[in-house]
Amino acid sequence: MGQGIERTLRHAILLARHLSRCGPQYIVVAVLLELGVPAHCAGYTYLKHAILLFHDNPAAILSKGIYPAVGQLFSPQVSQLQVEQAIRKAVDEAWKNREPSVWSIYFPSATDAAMKKPTNAEFIAQIAYFVELWEGCCKEVAYERT
Amino acid sequence: MNEHNKSHSRQELEALSTSQLERLLRRQLEQDPADAIHVRTIIDILQNRDEGPCASLTPAAQAAWDKYQRRMEYSASMSTPKSSRTWKAIAAVALLALALLIFIPQPASAQSIFSRFISWTEDIFQLLIPEDTFVTPPEYTFRTGNPGLQQVYDTLTDLDVSAPVVPMWLPEEYELIDIIVIPTRTQTSATATFQYGNDEIILTYYIYSQGTSHDYYCSDDTGQLYEKNGTAFYIIDNHDSQIVVWSQDKIECSLFASCRDVALRRIINSIYQMEESQCYNSNVLSVYFWSCPW
C-alpha cells in the first residue's frame, strides 16, 4: 500500500491519545467534520448513525439493514431511500470541498490524483474501519499510560 | 458556559494546553451540530504537537492495524476502475466474436476462413482495378508500322481531316521524303512523297474548305473502276506509272506510283483497314483487317 497509509495509523493514535476516554461516536463526529461533511444537512446525522451501526454490525448489508435501521431512529420514520439520498448528497458535498491531505488519511490511495469519490458503502465502511483501528490504538495509549 | 461555545481563534487555541484542548474538543463533539472549523483547528493543533506514533505497537493495536491494512488491500484489489472494466468487457466480446467467426463453419461457401486467407494473393492488397472490368469503347485509330504514313496521317489530322484517306500500307522499301502543305484561299493541299531508289509514290490530298462537288467519272475505258467500302477508286495506267484518284467527303485524293509493280489495290484496301483501339481486356481485342483480295 505504501507509506501513505502510515498517516492513517499516526492519526488514529493521535485521536486515541486525545480522545481515548470518548466513545466511538465522538470519533465518528470528528472524522466526519475533518472530511468536510456539512454538519447542517440531514445526511451528516444519518451518516453518523450508519457508521456506528456498521461498526457494531460489520456484516450488515447497507440497503437491507443499515438504511432501514437509521430511518427507524427518527420520528417520523424516514424511508431508506431518503436515507440513502441524504447520505449520498452529504458525501458529494464533502467530496466537492475536500482537502486531499485530510482525505488521504481516511482513504489512502497511491496518489491524490488516483483518489476517486467513494460510494456510500465505501464511505461508511472506511470510517467504521478507522473507528475500529482507533479502538485498537486506544489500548495502545492505555498501555502507555500504565 | 457561553464562553466555552464561543469560537476561539487559532492563536487562542494554540495558547491552550493539550488537556484544555482535549476538553474543548470533547465539548465541541458533544454539540449537535458541532462546529466543524473549531474541531478541525483543534485536531490540527494537537497533530502539530503530537510526538508521532510509538515505535512498537501493543498486540491489540498491532492486530487492529493489521486488520485495517488487510481491509485496505482487499478494497484496493476489488475496486478496479470502471473504464478498465469497460475495456475488458469490450475486449472479451471482440475475442468471442473473432472466435465465432473463425471456428464456426461457413455453410454457404463450405469453406473455412483459413482457406480464404490462403487464396488471397498480392493483387488483393494492391487494390488494383481488375483489367476485365474496364473496357474502352472502340474507336478508329491509325496505327501503322510505316512511320512515314503515320506522319502523313498526323499532318492530315492537323488539317482537320478525320476521314480515312491515308493508306496504312506501302511497300516497305519506300521511305517518306517530305510532306508539303500548301494552303490557299479555297483549299489546302498536302503532298507526301515516298521514294525508293528512282521510284516514287506520291500521295496528294486537296482539302476544300467548303463542301466539294467534285465527282469523278471515267470518260472512257482507259481507267479501271475499283470500289471499296462504297468509294469509287479510279485506277489509270500511264506507261510505267499508275495513278489512283478518289474523293472522300471534301477531300480529293490521288496516289501516283512510278512503278507498275506497286500493289495499288493492296494500298487502296489498307485505307479502310481498321483496328479497334486496344482494350484492357486482351480477350475482347479484335482487329479488323480488310484483307487485300489481291
Side-chain angles (χ1 to χ4, degrees):
Chain A
M1 287 294 293
Q3 296 179 355
I5 198 173
E6 296 291 334
R7 294 178 62 204
T8 310
L9 175 62
R10 208 176 305 131
H11 201 70
I13 293 175
L14 170 76
L15 291 179
R17 281 184 181 144
H18 300 290
L19 293 171
S20 58
R21 296 189 181 88
C22 302
Q25 64 271 20
Y26 297 103
I27 299 301
V28 171
V29 170
V31 172
L32 290 178
L33 293 177
E34 273 195 288
L35 290 174
V37 178
H40 59 274
C41 64
Y44 165 84
T45 309
Y46 299 155
L47 261 175
K48 198 166 53 173
H49 293 285
I51 291 169
L52 291 171
L53 282 170
F54 188 86
H55 172 259
D56 295 334
N57 306 282
I61 299 173
L62 225 63
S63 58
K64 293 185 179 174
I66 304 295
Y67 291 155
V70 170
Q72 289 168 9
L73 293 174
F74 299 89
S75 177
Q77 189 172 338
V78 182
S79 69
Q80 67 179 48
L81 182 61
Q82 285 176 308
V83 171
E84 188 271 334
Q85 284 178 349
I87 290 176
R88 183 155 30 92
K89 190 176 174 185
V91 172
D92 288 343
E93 285 295 321
W95 177 259
K96 276 184 207 172
N97 306 316
R98 69 188 184 281
E99 288 182 24
S101 58
V102 176
W103 271 70
S104 63
I105 294 173
Y106 301 102
F107 300 94
S109 58
T111 58
D112 290 340
M115 194 188 305
K116 59 183 181 73
K117 187 174 86 72
T119 61
N120 284 11
E122 290 171 351
F123 190 90
I124 292 170
Q126 194 61 28
I127 306 302
Y129 297 154
F130 182 82
V131 172
E132 201 175 319
L133 176 63
W134 167 82
E135 288 178 337
C137 295
C138 282
K139 296 172 183 175
E140 171 76 20
V141 172
Y143 178 78
E144 284 178 356
R145 287 175 181 171
T146 55
Chain B
M1 290 294 286
N2 287 337
E3 66 183 10
H4 292 291
N5 293 336
K6 277 194 300 187
S7 58
H8 300 271
S9 65
R10 188 177 178 96
Q11 290 174 350
E12 292 173 352
L13 290 171
E14 283 178 350
L16 299 175
S17 66
T18 302
S19 56
Q20 286 173 325
L21 284 173
E22 286 177 3
R23 283 198 293 273
L24 189 58
L25 179 60
R26 203 174 307 125
R27 261 189 233 116
Q28 287 291 333
L29 294 175
E30 286 172 357
Q31 290 178 8
D32 192 15
D35 187 349
I37 298 174
H38 218 174
V39 167
R40 280 187 239 157
T41 306
I42 294 172
I43 292 175
D44 188 49
I45 295 171
L46 290 172
Q47 201 164 14
N48 292 336
R49 291 182 187 179
D50 191 59
E51 294 173 356
C54 45
S56 61
L57 296 172
T58 60
Q62 186 67 49
W65 176 233
D66 293 341
K67 194 175 179 183
Y68 183 85
Q69 281 187 300
R70 279 197 300 273
R71 281 176 174 155
M72 289 302 300
E73 288 171 1
Y74 179 75
S75 61
S77 65
M78 289 300 291
S79 61
T80 55
K82 281 185 185 176
S83 59
S84 70
R85 273 182 280 172
T86 304
W87 283 114
K88 283 181 185 174
I90 292 172
V93 171
L95 280 173
L96 182 63
L98 187 63
L100 288 173
L101 272 175
I102 291 174
F103 293 112
I104 287 181
Q106 307 289 329
S109 62
Q111 284 183 349
S112 72
I113 197 166
F114 292 110
S115 63
R116 289 187 186 178
F117 290 159
I118 293 169
S119 66
W120 287 354
T121 60
E122 289 183 356
D123 292 339
I124 292 176
F125 297 102
Q126 290 179 0
L127 301 177
L128 295 175
I129 300 174
E131 293 183 354
D132 58 354
T133 60
F134 184 75
V135 177
T136 55
E139 60 182 15
Y140 173 77
T141 58
F142 187 91
R143 286 200 181 90
T144 175
N146 191 321
L149 288 173
Q150 187 68 47
Q151 288 186 35
V152 174
Y153 173 79
D154 294 338
T155 302
L156 292 182
T157 301
D158 294 339
L159 297 174
D160 295 331
V161 173
S162 58
V165 295
V166 179
M168 297 187 72
W169 180 87
L170 281 181
E172 294 177 0
E173 56 271 20
Y174 284 84
E175 292 181 358
L176 179 67
I177 301 302
D178 59 10
I179 301 177
I180 299 171
V181 177
I182 301 174
T184 63
R185 190 165 53 87
T186 58
Q187 68 185 34
T188 299
S189 67
T191 304
T193 304
F194 293 81
Q195 194 172 37
Y196 169 58
N198 294 326
D199 296 325
E200 287 180 339
I201 295 178
I202 301 172
L203 289 167
T204 306
Y205 301 93
Y206 293 95
I207 304 161
Y208 292 89
S209 56
Q210 294 177 355
T212 182
S213 62
H214 298 270
D215 288 327
Y216 288 106
Y217 62 93
C218 283
S219 61
D220 54 23
D221 295 332
T222 57
Q224 298 175 28
L225 174 62
Y226 176 67
E227 287 189 7
K228 187 67 180 177
N229 202 36
T231 303
F233 291 83
Y234 296 95
I235 303 173
I236 304 166
D237 294 332
N238 184 9
H239 297 290
D240 294 332
S241 60
Q242 300 178 84
I243 299 174
V244 179
V245 295
W246 74 98
S247 66
Q248 183 87 37
D249 294 337
K250 55 183 179 180
I251 307 168
E252 281 187 13
C253 313
S254 67
L255 186 151
F256 170 82
S258 63
C259 177
R260 290 182 65 88
D261 293 334
V262 174
L264 277 184
R265 297 197 179 196
R266 184 176 175 182
I267 295 175
I268 292 170
N269 292 336
S270 71
I271 292 173
Y272 300 100
Q273 174 182 331
M274 280 197 309
E275 64 181 38
E276 290 181 353
S277 60
Q278 187 176 2
C279 295
Y280 284 88
N281 185 358
S282 59
N283 294 333
V284 186
L285 180 66
S286 60
V287 177
Y288 296 96
F289 289 97
W290 292 34
S291 62
C292 173
W294 198 263

